[in-house]
Amino acid sequence: MKIGIYGGTFDPPHLGHMEAAKAAMDQLSLDRLIIIPDREPPHKGLPTDAASPQQRLEMARLMADGIGPRAEASDLELKREGKSYTADTVEELHEAFPDDELWLLMGTDMFLTVQNWYQPERIFQYAGVAAFSRSHDDTGEMFEEQSQYLSERFHARTTIVNLPQIHEIASRDLRRMLASEWTGGNVDPAQYLWLPVYGYILKEGLFGTKADLKKLSDKHLRAISYSMVKAKRLPHIKGTEETAVALAKFWGVDPDKARRAAILHDCTKYWELEPQVAACDKYGIELDELERQSPKLLHSKTGAAMAKYIFGEPDDVYNAIFCHTTGKPGMTTFDKIIYLADYMEPNRDFDGVEEMRRLVWEDLDKAMLLGLEMSVEDLTQRGVPVHQNTQGALDELRGRSQ
């Protein structure tokens, strides 16, 4: 197996880091990429406004999730005391993966001075070095001379990773840009950041950002919501938002509220059972025995609580998110729109979805009836108990249709 090692302060990680990582994975045919935030870089101190080690790790994890399933973030260096030396990291990874081929990724400037690092012979003993190149000038004669020198002196393995057109920005400039967004800056820092990373920065108030969580724009609400879920969930949330807005406009309800309900409807989807139950207890949400055992049933309730108590959304948004998983008797038009948008957004693919997509523009109740019937049938076939609210909503709609 070929493993890439990508270290740095990642304060914050930006699209340039992501694009470089993807290029390395592709060109080196890496089976795995380990992103390792430094605790204390040996060549420079962290800035006074630096994020905490845990925050930098969380941002690196969001970046890794955006890169793909072969990428991961590691706290290997953050667990150490004192300065982070690459030689120690490479040796530790070799001990963990003794039969695998390690490649240390670095910029061209670092590559040209790597012989001056702490115990460089240990680095080359355990790993090859892959240098990022932004242009042919980076990897011309100097690269060849350096490669030859490192080979002769350290028996080093070296190669180059040619970068595509990348989002070029220094992290220090990005931090200033993030702060200036709240003081009248005219450059949008989001263009340089993976949206979930940007959302995490806003949620945590990093680098001088001053987002009021109860007064967020759609853009900022979307970014923060995205930071709370896995990358694989984003197409579904985007599809639900688009569908909810279209249905709201068609059926005469507030499309802005529909948009925000859709943005937030799955924000707690990946919480474990314990924090789900704890949040329900905190916000006075009563749970039955089935709900206390199923995170899949709880995320709609905790998501609604987040919408209302953290993000300041109104009661109709709260109620629509609250029942978007199970449904309930007495659903409003707004409730039905969020339920159906979640059920039939463009990324959904199952028997019956096209019929639901047809019905939803003709009769919301008929579309709801179809969806609830399919849900009950699926749960029954899988031996999963049907929640009382689902059965109640179904019975109510069947009664109306008779």
Side-chain angles (χ1 to χ4, degrees), residues 117-176:
W117 291 14
Y118 175 74
Q119 297 183 352
E121 66 281 355
R122 289 172 60 210
I123 297 173
F124 296 116
Q125 179 181 355
Y126 299 117
V129 172
F132 295 125
S133 170
R134 294 182 180 85
S135 69
H136 177 72
D137 292 341
D138 286 341
T139 56
E141 187 175 345
M142 284 193 301
F143 181 87
E144 293 177 3
E145 290 178 356
Q146 177 72 343
S147 295
Q148 183 175 352
Y149 168 75
L150 295 175
S151 176
E152 292 174 353
R153 181 170 178 183
F154 300 105
H155 303 290
R157 292 177 292 119
T158 61
T159 191
I160 186 170
V161 174
N162 292 300
L163 296 181
Q165 185 67 33
I166 66 171
H167 293 72
E168 189 74 38
I169 190 169
S171 290
R172 63 179 177 276
D173 295 333
L174 184 51
R175 290 193 296 271
R176 294 191 194 104

Side-chain angles (χ1 to χ4, degrees), residues 14 31 64 114 172 177 184 317-318 326 338 343 368 387 395 401:
H14 51 69
D31 301 290
V114 67
R172 63 179 177 276
M177 193 182 299
V317 170
Y318 172 90
T326 60
I338 300 306
Y343 208 133
M368 283 292 304
H387 191 268
D395 292 343
S401 65

Side-chain angles (χ1 to χ4, degrees), residues 18-279:
M18 290 185 70
E19 289 160 349
K22 290 177 181 178
M25 295 189 76
D26 181 51
Q27 294 176 37
L28 300 178
S29 299
L30 298 177
D31 301 290
R32 186 174 183 179
L33 176 68
I34 304 176
I35 299 169
I36 306 178
D38 300 330
R39 181 179 183 86
E40 186 179 343
H43 58 289
K44 62 178 180 181
L46 291 170
T48 55
D49 64 345
S52 71
Q54 186 61 36
Q55 288 168 332
R56 290 190 292 114
L57 178 63
E58 290 303 317
M59 288 188 286
R61 284 174 173 162
L62 288 168
M63 177 174 71
D65 187 40
I67 292 169
R70 290 178 293 153
E72 64 190 86
S74 168
D75 64 354
L76 188 152
E77 293 196 2
L78 297 179
K79 293 186 295 187
R80 292 193 197 131
E81 295 296 330
K83 295 193 179 291
S84 300
Y85 290 109
T86 300
D88 295 334
T89 297
V90 171
E91 183 171 3
E92 189 169 340
L93 288 171
H94 169 73
E95 291 173 354
F97 307 104
D99 299 323
D100 296 320
E101 182 180 329
L102 304 181
W103 283 94
L104 179 64
L105 312 180
M106 64 179 65
T108 301
D109 291 344
M110 292 184 177
F111 176 72
L112 295 175
T113 59
V114 67
Q115 68 273 13
N116 300 322
W117 291 14
Y118 175 74
Q119 297 183 352
E121 66 281 355
R122 289 172 60 210
I123 297 173
F124 296 116
Q125 179 181 355
Y126 299 117
V129 172
F132 295 125
S133 170
R134 294 182 180 85
S135 69
H136 177 72
D137 292 341
D138 286 341
T139 56
E141 187 175 345
M142 284 193 301
F143 181 87
E144 293 177 3
E145 290 178 356
Q146 177 72 343
S147 295
Q148 183 175 352
Y149 168 75
L150 295 175
S151 176
E152 292 174 353
R153 181 170 178 183
F154 300 105
H155 303 290
R157 292 177 292 119
T158 61
T159 191
I160 186 170
V161 174
N162 292 300
L163 296 181
Q165 185 67 33
I166 66 171
H167 293 72
E168 189 74 38
I169 190 169
S171 290
R172 63 179 177 276
D173 295 333
L174 184 51
R175 290 193 296 271
R176 294 191 194 104
M177 193 182 299
L178 283 159
S180 71
E181 183 181 11
W182 308 96
T183 57
N186 57 7
V187 180
D188 182 7
Q191 66 182 300
Y192 296 102
L193 292 162
W194 168 234
L195 196 56
V197 171
Y198 179 54
Y200 181 85
I201 290 169
L202 297 178
K203 181 163 64 75
E204 295 292 309
L206 301 178
F207 314 125
T209 58
K210 298 176 182 178
D212 183 343
L213 297 185
K214 285 186 165 60
K215 297 179 180 179
L216 294 170
S217 66
D218 292 346
K219 167 191 165 184
H220 290 155
L221 184 70
R222 190 179 294 112
I224 291 176
S225 175
Y226 287 7
S227 76
M228 299 171 67
V229 300
K230 296 185 184 298
K232 66 183 180 181
R233 198 72 187 168
L234 300 186
H236 166 70
I237 297 174
K238 293 175 185 177
T240 301
E241 178 185 345
E242 293 167 1
T243 305
V245 169
L247 287 173
K249 291 177 178 178
F250 184 83
W251 290 105
V253 300
D254 190 331
D256 293 326
K257 288 184 178 180
R259 180 183 304 282
R260 294 173 77 85
I263 289 170
L264 290 171
H265 81 283
D266 272 353
C267 67
T268 59
K269 181 77 174 179
Y270 294 98
W271 287 12
E272 298 294 334
L273 179 62
E274 185 175 345
Q276 296 270 16
V277 172

Side-chain angles (χ1 to χ4, degrees), residues 337-349:
I337 283 171
I338 300 306
Y339 180 96
L340 290 166
D342 172 57
Y343 208 133
M344 49 152 272
E345 56 88 11
N347 297 285
R348 298 291 201 189
D349 184 17

